[in-house]
Structure formats: structure tokens, C-alpha cells
Amino acid sequence: MASVTLKKKYRCSKSLQQFYSGGPFVVSSDGSFIACACGESIKIVDSSNASTKSTLEADSGTITALALSPDDKLLFSAGRSRQIKVWELETLKCLRSWKGHDDSVMGMACHGSGGLLATSGADRKVLVWDVDGGFCTHYFKGHKGVVTSIMFHPDVNKNLLFSGSDDATVRIWDLTKECVKKCVATLEKHFSAVSSMAISEDGWTLLTAGRDKVVILWDLHDYRCKSTVPIYEVLEAVCIIPSGSHFALSLGVFSQQTRKRKSGSTGIYFITAGERGTIRIWNSEGAVCLYEQKSSDVSASSDVGEGSTRGFTSAVMLPLDQGLLCVTADQQFLFYSPEENLEEKWNLKLTKRLVGFNDEIVDMKFLDEEEQYLAVATNLEQVRVYDLSSMSCSYSLAGHTDTILCLDTTVSSDGRRLIVTGSKDHNVRLWDSERRCCVGLGIGHRGAVGAVAFSKKRRDFFVSGSSDHTIRVWSLDGLSDDIEQPIKLKFKTGVATHDKDINCVAIAPNDSLVCSGSQDRTACVRRLPDLVDVVIFKGHKRGIWSVEFSPVDQCVITASGDKTVKIWAIADGSCLRTFEGHTSSVLRVSFLTRGTQFVSCGADGLVKLWTIKTNECIATYDQHEDKIWALAVGKKTEILATGGSDAIINLWYDSTAAEKEEAFRKEEEGVLRGQELENAVLDAEYTKAIQLALELRWPHKLFELFSALCRKREVGDQIDKALHALNKEELQLLFGYVRDWNSRTKLCHVAQFLLFRAFNILPPTEIIKIKGIEELLDGLIPYSQRHFSRIDRHIRNTFLLDYTLIGMSVFEPVTGVDSKTRFLLHSEKYMEGAPLTDDAEEDQKQVPGGLKEKASAKTDDADEDQKQVPGGPKEKASAKKRKSGKSRDSSRSHKKVKGDAQSNPEAISLQA
């Protein structure tokens, strides 16, 4: 058998996260992104693949209103805390915030000029704000209910503001200075809350939709009711179809073909969406319904009680003729566009589905070997199938009446892609993914079905395990392509195998054995198809959550709530290996690399990659915030998909070969760049050498370059030239290295010199633009203060040394006699007229003023003393005589010096 290359690294390349929790949302002017309310935060989501581009932490309670400026640069938000905030999307910073309402803000709209912001609230007020100044420009009051919707006239030259309320009225306000606080008109034809408003392209017709199941058209010339269109459903949204759009053109062609449109008709096309979950298109001329969806794309939920919101909650026409966007009550974004084929009948097609909230991920499997689609079971009654290329939900399969707990997928012998699901409703269902319908129903379990598994070889049966402690074998016989209703599946056999709930089942690669794991801490292997006992694995201290057969060996791997993974021998039921490393229950485990490795995930939110031969965990990944319930492994490339309680789906790709190749490429490139750096140093091209050292991330070589520059004469010019050539990223890296050098005494001199040159040539406006400069300066300042304090101490010590040397008059040391004694002796000789030696002359030159000045100064001092002593020279002489009385110690020291002088001829000559 060929050698197996072990996997060493996985990389999380894609992730599907929660981005919408219901409530307000707003689409950008080009349709490239959607700003969605997600709890107390705002998610900026890419509309093409549902990836979260950025997150704004509003910190103002649940978000209740959102609006975008016309140029998409500013985002306005408001929450339960009544705080209105202005965000700059480029920097993701809050520019300003204020409070103006007495209750929650329920609606928000930005003027076409971008200078005004209108807000409506539960306090029945409508306020208009100056965006730049943040002050209130208009204060409107008059509604008797919560003002839920608000809208500026799309024509910026018409200063009109429209507000709809729960009091079933629409009020029109004039924003001109002459009409401040004036309500131009009150429209009172509705009998229930007004939920949506729209204005025609010519700007003179207002459409209002309400929960009274009608759409009313108003003439804005005289504010009268033009017509009323009964819709017969509670409406949440009304949208005008632009005349030049693909929608309008295709509708016009279809209307002419079916002769539903009268010649010369000037009606308005508009769309309605509401509680039914279907889209209808109307022509205002004659209140004709041109199109209605036959079936709803909204998944019905069994737990929707009476009075709860169902169907669509909002709808908006996308800009740049990109189609229609509808939002459902279960947080899904549905994108529609007209079908191209108009020969048979005009129809809308669902082009994309983005799921804003998945709830808890329970189980998932790849749909086929191409690994393009992923079937996901969430805490709902339907299965969602995701297209991994766009991370959008392609379709959903609904039919269960309670939460789906498990699923498995296979490709049948005739090429059909099948999905089997088990639910809390005690049933199993078989689905055809291509036809997107249920083809089989299995009834027989008396408890929730918590585990299902398809056969691996023949693919003509599957096994289910339930909380009724039994496993059942179901046959796929009787399936055909022409069946319209799901057939009743037949089970071949069933048996009670455990004392508690069955959590997992697995079938051997040759379809000869089935293994089940239970909460009774055991795993049982039985022979198919008669389910005869083979062996029971005992040894776990908690319930078993996952089992799987090895693809090459006669063994089974199990994952348990006791934080361990065990491998068991089928022959005798002995435990071959035990793997410990998780800090909580291990919930899923699966073999990799032909059974030589396996991957596990658990309640600690960790994904671990193990090598069986060495019992070693070679990689641990922490990308989840909660329990990981689901693990799927692709058959072709062994791609991993993980999902859990955090409602996040992560896709992991094997990056072992890619990272090895990348490391080899970087090493090769490093060698070439290193040689280029050495050549630059030899050619004295220090600027180029410094840039190469920064690019290669070689701090030691960089320090050597700057040290060499500091030893040159024109060091300032060279360093200034090198610093000028660096960009902001390179300067950030250099400042990081300087911070590290500055923390070491041996390297701080170069660091301080670089800082001196950098702060001299770089303006402060450029320095503050360097990313992370605040943190870098915080690390530089304390050590710089220590260095300057140490230099100050050295300078003070030099002053003390200068003072000491001057006081000692040390010039040149002489052997046997110190300099001071020698100087005094020569001074006495000079006073007596004796000739000076060469050394004495040299001393005389070094003494300021010479010996004569010093002798004269001494004579003057003697005269001064004589004047100051009372009684004249005689009294002074007697006083001197008294003072010259010597103690015994001084006489002894004198005798000792005299004795030493007798033994030393030089001393005798000096005394003479």
C-alpha cells in the first residue's frame, strides 16, 4: 500500500455566522452590502455571500431603527436606550450621539441631500435633525399612536416628510421655514396600522399599505384618495417597480401578450408582501393582480402561535435593477428576479437565499462527493441545503412536525442524492435532493429518533436509533422517480439494544456490522441484517456521543462525555488506545487519512487533530464559542465542516501541503533576498539594505546596519535618507524593533539615535498615522527615561571628579613623592631664590598666575594677618608659639618621618 501523507494543519477558510436577528435592515445604494440589526450590534454583510464584513457594537440595547446616507459613508442607528448614533463606515467609529425621544426610536430616514435625519418614536413624535450639527431642526407632534414608518419625499426639491402610525393615519409635514411644525395633510382612510409607504416615480402619487389588507393611492396635488386596492392579506411592505427596470419591461411584454393591459394605460406597477409569504404584483389601473406566487418560499414553522408574525416582514426593490429583496419572519433574505422565459408564463425565480439566523446546529453532512452542497439540520423542522461556493441556502426541505435531530446523506445505486432525517416527531423521512421533496416516510419508533446512518456499500438501506432504546433497519425498496406522495418505508428488523437513549449509529464499510452508542456508557456491535450481538464495548464513564468504524482496520472509535476518545478491537472488545486532551465532553469523532488519523470536537468548542500511531494531538483549533454538535468530513478532499450551539458553521481545508510549499517558497525567497542584502551592503547602498532587512524581518541584521552607519561621519544624512524611503508599514515595523532595542542597555544607543533622527525628519502628523504608534511609544518612554537618568548620574559624577582633581592639583604622578608635596617644595625654593629644575618650571607653567603671583599673594595674606592680630607682631608670634605646642603623637610621627628620611637619601636631600 502506498505511503500515507499525514495531515498536520487545517485552515478555516469560510465561515457562516449569524448576522440578522430580526428587526431593521438597510441596503446600500449599490446593493453591495446590507446593514442588519443583530441583537445589540450591527452587522455589515456582503450581499453576495453572506460574509460579515464588519461589526459595530452599538451598546444601546436592541437595535430598533437603521438608515444610510445617500453616499453610504454614514450609518445612523437607534436602540431601546433612545440613543441616536452616527457611524462612519470607513473607520467604523461613532462620530456623535445624542438623545431626543422620550421612548424607543421606531423609524429612521435620511434626506436625499444627506444633511437631514428624520426619526419617529413610540413617544408619538417626529423629529428632524441636522446631521452635521446634531441639533433638532423640526419638531412635529400630532399622531395619537406609535409612529412606525417615516419617509422623505425622494425629490430633494420637495421638502415633504411622510409619517405612518398605529393610529391608522398618515401625516404629511412641510419642512420649509415658513411652515415649521405644520402638518400639511392628514390621510385617514385606513382602519388599521400603516405598515409601509411608497411614492411613484413622478412624485405625485403616494401608496400606503396597512394591516387592514388594502393599499390606498393618494394624489399629492390635493391629498385626496385616488383609489383603494383590496389585497386580502395583512400587508407588511409595498414597493414601486421602476418603469425602466427589467421587472417593468418583462411585465409590460407579458401584459401585452396576455392582453391584460389596455392601450394607453398609465398605471403604476407595485409589489405587495405580507403574512401569506407570497409575492403579488399589481397594476394600479383597474387594481389588477398581474402575478401571484403559487407557493410560498417561506418555511412554515409548527411553533408559530396565533397572532405571531408569519410570512414576509419587509420587502425592498434593490438598486441598479438587481431585483427584489424580501425578508421573512425567520430571518431569511430572499432575492428574486424575473425568469427569462416569457413564452409560457411570467414568473419570479428565487436566485439567492441568505439565512440570517440558523439557531443551534444539530447535525450536518456533505451531500455528494463533489463537496459543493452541505445539508444542515438546525433547531428547526426543516433541513437547509447550503451552496458552499456562495455560502447561501439553496433550498430547504420541510415536512417534519418537530425539531430534526440527525441526518445522513448518500448517493443511491441509480445516482440519486438522498437525505435521511430523524426527528423528535418519532419519524424518519427520506428526501430526494434533486426533486427537493420527501419520497419516503418511516413510522414505528416510539421515541425521538436521535441517530440515522446509510449503508456504505450497497446503499439500499439505512439504520435508525431512537430514545426508545431500539435500532431499526429500513429498506429503500419501492422508490421511483414518478412518485408524487412519499411512500411508507418498511423496516426489515428492529431490536432493543441499550438501556438508555441511543445517541449514534454507524455502519461498517462492508455493510456487515452496525454499531450503536448510548447514554448507558456502552457501544454495541451487531451483525446485519438480523442484528445479532457481536461484541459490547465497556469502559467509558459517561454516555457515548459518537461511533465510527475504521475504514481499514477491524476496530471502532468512540467519543464519550468522559472527555476521552477510545479505539476498540471488534474481535475481543478490548480497548486498544485511549486519547485524552479535551476539557469537556467529546461530541463528535471521525477518521481521516485512511484511518491513521482522526478529528474530534467537543463541548469545549475545540477541534482537535490526532495521530493514532503516536497518540499525539498535533493541532488544536478554537474557532467556536460554544459546544460543537456537528462534524462533517468530505470524502474527496477530506474537508471538514463544524457547527454547534453558537450557530456558526466553519469550513476547514487541509493546508498541510500548501503551508509546506509556502514555507519552502519563503525560505528560497529569503535566501535570494539575503544575498541581495549582502550585495547592497558591499555596494554601500544602505537604504536598499535597510528596506530588505525590514522586508525579511531580520532585526539583528538591521541593527548591524544601523550600528555601521552610526560609526560613519555622515551618519545623519545616511539615516535620514533611509528613513525617508520607508512607508508606514515599514516604519511601524522599525519602531517595533527600536522599542525592543531600547529595552536593552547595550543596544539603546543606536535606538536613541534612530529615534532622534526619526522625530527630527518626520512631521508629527505623519507619525501619528503609523498604526499602533501609541502602544509603541508607551513601550519607548519608560526605558528612555531610565537611559537619560543614568546619563545624568554619569554627568554629575564627572563634576565630582573634576572638582577632586582640581582640588588635588594632580597633573603628572612622580615616583616616591606626590605632586602636591613636590609643588610645595619647589615653591619654597623659589621663595628662597634657589634655581628651579625642569619639572618645577613645568609646574610653574601649569599653575595659574605662576609662583610669583602665589608668593605675593601669600605675603599679602601675612600682612593682613598681622593687621588683624591684636598687639602687633610680637603677640602674634607668642600666639604662634603657643599654638605650635605638639602632642606626643605628633612628635612621634615627626620622629618616624625623620627616621625614614635618614634611611632615604632623596628624602634627606629634599629636607635639606
Side-chain angles (χ1 to χ4, degrees):
M1 187 175 65
S3 61
V4 177
T5 303
L6 298 179
K7 295 175 174 57
K8 296 183 179 179
K9 191 76 173 179
Y10 270 90
R11 181 181 300 169
C12 182
S13 59
K14 293 182 179 180
S15 181
L16 181 62
Q17 302 181 7
Q18 174 185 353
F19 63 85
Y20 181 61
S21 60
F25 71 94
V26 60
V27 183
S28 64
S29 60
D30 58 357
S32 61
F33 68 88
I34 307 172
C36 307
C38 186
E40 297 184 359
S41 61
I42 305 169
K43 302 278 188 178
I44 309 299
V45 181
D46 191 334
S47 59
S48 61
N49 56 10
S51 61
T52 302
K53 301 170 68 174
S54 56
T55 302
L56 303 175
E57 297 297 338
D59 296 331
S60 57
T62 304
I63 302 299
T64 57
L66 290 174
L68 270 172
S69 62
D71 56 3
D72 296 335
K73 292 184 179 180
L74 299 178
L75 175 66
F76 309 94
S77 69
R80 296 292 182 188
S81 63
R82 299 171 290 151
Q83 195 86 10
I84 301 172
K85 294 189 175 183
V86 182
W87 303 88
E88 186 178 26
L89 292 183
E90 184 179 358
T91 60
L92 303 180
K93 292 183 178 179
C94 180
L95 299 181
R96 64 188 67 89
S97 63
W98 67 86
K99 286 185 178 181
H101 287 270
D102 299 329
D103 208 334
S104 300
V105 179
M106 304 304 296
M108 189 178 287
C110 186
H111 192 259
S113 63
L116 296 177
L117 176 70
T119 59
S120 60
D123 56 0
R124 308 176 184 180
K125 299 177 184 176
V126 176
L127 303 178
V128 182
W129 308 87
D130 184 277
V131 172
D132 296 329
F135 56 88
C136 182
T137 60
H138 298 78
Y139 176 93
F140 300 127
K141 194 174 182 180
H143 280 291
K144 298 179 180 178
V146 176
V147 186
T148 55
S149 56
I150 192 166
M151 178 183 64
F152 281 103
H153 197 286
D155 188 354
V156 295
N157 296 320
K158 297 179 180 179
N159 295 316
L160 295 178
L161 179 66
F162 305 86
S163 60
S165 171
D166 286 347
D167 60 5
T169 63
V170 176
R171 289 180 177 265
I172 305 176
W173 314 88
D174 197 323
L175 301 179
T176 56
K177 295 182 180 179
E178 293 81 5
C179 301
V180 174
K181 298 183 181 181
K182 180 179 179 182
C183 179
V184 178
T186 303
L187 313 180
E188 299 179 334
K189 286 288 184 178
H190 282 283
F191 296 97
S192 185
V194 178
S195 57
S196 180
M197 299 181 292
I199 295 180
S200 62
E201 286 186 291
D202 60 5
W204 292 108
T205 302
L206 172 67
L207 281 74
T208 59
R211 294 191 173 95
D212 54 0
K213 306 180 181 182
V214 297
V215 172
I216 302 178
L217 284 75
W218 307 86
D219 191 342
L220 295 182
H221 291 94
D222 52 7
Y223 306 110
R224 63 180 179 84
C225 175
K226 295 172 62 176
S227 62
T228 300
V229 181
I231 308 298
Y232 303 110
E233 74 167 318
V234 175
L235 294 178
E236 298 293 338
V238 59
C239 304
I240 299 291
I241 300 178
S243 58
S245 64
H246 183 51
F247 258 89
L249 294 176
S250 59
L251 276 173
V253 173
F254 173 69
S255 298
Q256 290 178 358
Q257 289 178 354
T258 56
R259 297 181 180 179
K260 287 186 177 180
R261 182 178 181 183
K262 299 179 182 179
S263 60
S265 174
T266 57
I268 301 173
Y269 290 135
F270 63 92
I271 298 174
T272 59
E275 65 174 354
R276 292 184 182 178
T278 58
I279 298 171
R280 287 192 278 182
I281 301 178
W282 304 77
N283 188 351
S284 63
E285 190 71 22
V288 178
C289 180
L290 301 178
Y291 170 77
E292 181 178 1
Q293 279 184 315
K294 291 183 178 180
S295 60
S296 174
D297 293 314
V298 181
S299 301
S301 179
S302 62
D303 59 353
V304 175
E306 186 177 354
S308 300
T309 304
R310 295 177 294 177
F312 292 124
T313 59
S314 182
V316 61
M317 290 297 299
L318 294 174
L320 305 179
D321 202 9
Q322 298 179 27
L324 174 68
L325 170 62
C326 296
V327 181
T328 67
D330 56 350
Q331 297 89 36
Q332 297 186 52
F333 289 77
L334 307 183
F335 294 78
Y336 291 95
S337 62
E339 288 186 353
E340 299 296 333
N341 186 12
L342 299 177
E343 296 180 358
E344 298 179 359
K345 191 174 182 181
W346 195 91
N347 191 27
L348 278 179
K349 63 178 180 180
L350 179 62
T351 58
K352 186 167 47 180
R353 183 197 301 258
L354 303 182
V355 179
F357 182 66
N358 264 319
D359 208 345
E360 190 171 7
I361 308 298
V362 179
D363 199 2
M364 57 187 175
K365 290 290 187 298
F366 288 101
L367 202 55
D368 51 16
E369 294 184 358
E370 298 300 325
E371 301 165 358
Q372 182 181 358
Y373 295 96
L374 182 69
V376 179
T378 64
N379 199 18
L380 297 172
E381 299 82 9
Q382 65 263 9
V383 177
R384 291 171 176 171
V385 179
Y386 283 87
D387 186 351
L388 299 184
S389 59
S390 61
M391 295 302 288
S392 63
C393 181
S394 297
Y395 55 91
S396 61
L397 304 174
H400 282 288
T401 58
D402 208 337
T403 304
I404 296 176
L405 298 178
C406 57
L407 63 84
D408 196 12
T409 61
T410 190
V411 179
S412 64
S413 56
D414 55 358
R416 289 185 298 180
R417 292 182 296 184
L418 302 177
I419 303 174
V420 62
T421 56
S423 171
K424 284 184 177 180
D425 59 8
H426 305 177
N427 299 330
V428 294
R429 283 183 177 265
L430 189 66
W431 311 84
D432 189 332
S433 64
E434 294 179 357
R435 297 172 58 192
R436 303 182 182 181
C437 64
C438 178
V439 295
L441 174 62
I443 302 174
H445 283 292
R446 292 178 294 176
V449 182
V452 290
F454 272 114
S455 65
K456 299 295 189 293
K457 187 177 181 180
R458 298 192 299 271
R459 303 175 184 178
D460 58 353
F461 70 93
F462 67 90
V463 177
S464 63
S466 170
S467 60
D468 60 5
H469 313 165
T470 65
I471 60 174
R472 290 174 179 260
V473 181
W474 304 84
S475 175
L476 300 183
D477 297 337
L479 294 180
S480 61
D481 296 333
D482 56 352
I483 58 175
E484 296 182 358
Q485 296 294 329
I487 65 172
K488 187 176 181 180
L489 298 175
K490 297 179 180 180
F491 69 91
K492 296 180 179 180
T493 182
V495 64
T497 58
H498 293 277
D499 298 331
K500 291 185 179 181
D501 296 357
I502 296 176
N503 295 327
C504 50
V505 293
I507 297 177
N510 59 0
D511 291 346
S512 62
L513 301 173
V514 60
C515 182
S516 59
S518 171
Q519 282 294 107
D520 62 3
R521 309 176 188 179
T522 65
C524 181
V525 177
R526 291 178 176 268
R527 194 176 307 278
L528 289 171
D530 49 3
L531 298 180
V532 177
D533 279 338
V534 175
V535 68
I536 297 178
F537 304 132
K538 296 181 179 180
H540 281 294
K541 298 179 181 179
R542 293 290 185 272
I544 296 176
W545 287 103
S546 180
V547 296
E548 185 173 328
F549 284 91
S550 171
V552 293
D553 297 324
Q554 296 293 320
C555 60
V556 174
I557 190 170
T558 59
S560 171
D562 60 5
K563 311 176 188 178
T564 64
V565 176
K566 292 179 180 289
I567 296 180
W568 310 82
I570 298 177
D572 55 2
S574 61
C575 179
L576 302 178
R577 291 181 183 274
T578 300
F579 301 86
E580 298 179 353
H582 281 278
T583 58
S584 189
S585 301
V586 186
L587 302 177
R588 287 291 184 271
V589 65
S590 184
F591 279 106
L592 294 173
T593 326
R594 298 182 186 176
T596 59
Q597 293 180 292
F598 69 88
V599 61
S600 63
C601 52
D604 50 9
L606 301 178
V607 179
K608 288 181 176 288
L609 180 62
W610 305 78
T611 300
I612 295 177
K613 185 176 180 180
T614 60
N615 270 46
E616 179 186 6
C617 176
I618 59 177
T620 300
Y621 307 102
D622 186 8
Q623 291 289 333
H624 286 274
E625 301 174 357
D626 209 335
K627 299 177 181 179
I628 303 176
W629 286 107
L631 170 66
V633 180
K635 297 179 180 179
K636 187 176 181 179
T637 62
E638 293 192 326
I639 176 180
L640 303 181
T642 56
S645 301
D646 53 3
I648 296 176
I649 299 176
N650 288 326
L651 298 181
W652 308 81
Y653 291 89
D654 178 20
S655 61
T656 304
E659 293 197 1
K660 185 177 180 181
E661 182 179 353
E662 181 71 14
F664 178 77
R665 187 189 62 80
K666 286 185 177 180
E667 183 179 359
E668 185 180 18
E669 184 180 353
V671 172
L672 295 177
R673 304 292 281 178
Q675 185 60 47
E676 189 178 352
L677 189 151
E678 295 296 336
N679 295 338
V681 174
L682 293 176
D683 297 338
E685 297 179 359
Y686 289 102
T687 301
K688 181 179 179 181
I690 289 171
Q691 289 179 333
L692 288 172
L694 286 171
E695 183 180 345
L696 294 172
R697 304 295 196 270
W698 288 358
H700 181 68
K701 186 65 178 179
L702 189 65
F703 179 80
E704 290 180 352
L705 290 173
F706 282 117
S707 298
L709 281 176
C710 290
R711 290 192 292 268
K712 294 184 177 295
R713 292 185 178 180
E714 299 178 355
V715 55
D717 297 338
Q718 291 282 356
I719 292 182
D720 293 352
K721 183 179 178 182
L723 292 177
H724 274 301
L726 301 180
N727 56 34
K728 292 181 180 179
E729 290 76 12
E730 292 172 338
L731 284 174
Q732 178 191 4
L733 188 61
L734 177 61
F735 272 106
Y737 291 149
V738 169
R739 178 189 59 184
D740 298 337
W741 299 339
N742 193 52
S743 62
R744 302 180 62 182
T745 306
K746 295 181 180 180
L747 311 179
C748 67
H749 305 89
V750 175
Q752 289 294 323
F753 188 75
L754 281 176
L755 288 175
F756 173 73
R757 301 307 305 178
F759 290 141
N760 273 345
I761 66 172
L762 297 177
T765 55
E766 294 295 328
I767 294 177
I768 62 176
K769 293 180 181 179
I770 298 175
K771 186 178 179 180
I773 189 62
E774 296 180 0
E775 182 181 355
L776 294 172
L777 292 178
D778 288 341
L780 283 167
I781 292 174
Y783 284 99
S784 297
Q785 291 176 344
R786 295 183 187 180
H787 299 327
F788 285 117
S789 299
R790 186 173 64 254
I791 292 174
D792 290 341
R793 290 196 302 270
H794 289 333
I795 293 176
R796 289 196 299 269
N797 292 339
T798 58
F799 291 159
L800 178 61
L801 180 62
D802 292 344
Y803 174 79
T804 304
L805 292 177
I806 292 173
M808 295 175 62
S809 301
V810 175
F811 302 102
E812 290 182 4
V814 179
T815 306
V817 182
D818 59 348
S819 300
K820 187 175 181 181
T821 305
R822 182 182 174 201
F823 176 78
L824 293 176
L825 290 174
H826 284 295
S827 299
E828 292 177 358
K829 287 186 178 182
Y830 179 79
M831 293 297 294
E832 295 173 359
L836 294 174
T837 61
D838 295 338
D839 294 337
E841 292 177 357
E842 185 67 18
D843 293 340
Q844 182 182 359
K845 293 177 183 179
Q846 294 181 5
V847 176
L851 295 176
K852 294 182 180 180
E853 292 182 3
K854 188 171 184 179
S856 61
K858 193 173 183 180
T859 305
D860 295 339
D861 292 339
D863 295 339
E864 188 69 20
D865 292 340
Q866 183 177 359
K867 291 178 182 180
Q868 291 178 2
V869 175
K874 293 184 180 181
E875 293 181 8
K876 185 176 181 181
S878 60
K880 254 185 169 184
K881 187 175 181 181
R882 288 194 301 271
K883 290 179 180 179
S884 62
K886 298 180 180 179
S887 62
R888 296 179 181 179
D889 294 339
S890 60
S891 61
R892 290 176 183 175
S893 62
H894 178 71
K895 291 179 181 179
K896 186 176 182 180
V897 171
K898 186 175 181 180
D900 294 339
Q902 291 176 357
S903 62
N904 192 347
E906 287 187 31
I908 294 174
S909 62
L910 288 173
Q911 288 179 3

